[in-house]
Amino acid sequence: MSAPDRLREDALAIWTAAVDAVRPEPLVERAVRSLPDDLRAAVAAAPRLLTVGCGKAGAGMALGLERGLADRLDRL
């Protein structure tokens, strides 16, 4: 493989890693799953959970929230 091809491959790998690191789905899911105990208790006690979002990351954030609160989807 030539040097320019290796550089192109390395640049693509760096770009892909950077984009993957900021994908909203896993970030939101991880944040929801690691809520402090007091917030976790409040979410568990809530009769209904409402969310509002917009923007380009909204769909990915909603998916992460649904995955993070999978046991409470009937109230989300």
Side-chain angles (χ1 to χ4, degrees), residues 17 19-36 39-40 60-70:
V19 170
D20 287 344
V22 295
R23 291 199 185 282
E25 300 94 337
L27 294 173
V28 171
E29 182 179 357
R30 193 175 322 125
V32 169
R33 291 184 186 275
S34 63
L35 288 174
L39 246 85
R40 182 175 302 285
M61 293 172 75
L63 181 58
L65 186 63
E66 287 179 357
R67 288 179 179 166
L69 296 174

Side-chain angles (χ1 to χ4, degrees), residues 4-72:
D5 288 339
R6 272 181 285 162
L7 289 174
R8 190 173 295 113
E9 243 182 56
D10 289 346
L12 181 58
I14 292 167
W15 173 263
T16 302
V19 170
D20 287 344
V22 295
R23 291 199 185 282
E25 300 94 337
L27 294 173
V28 171
E29 182 179 357
R30 193 175 322 125
V32 169
R33 291 184 186 275
S34 63
L35 288 174
D37 290 340
D38 58 336
L39 246 85
R40 182 175 302 285
V43 169
R48 189 167 68 166
L49 302 167
L50 302 175
T51 62
V52 177
C54 63
K56 292 180 275 188
M61 293 172 75
L63 181 58
L65 186 63
E66 287 179 357
R67 288 179 179 166
L69 296 174
D71 60 333
R72 293 173 177 85

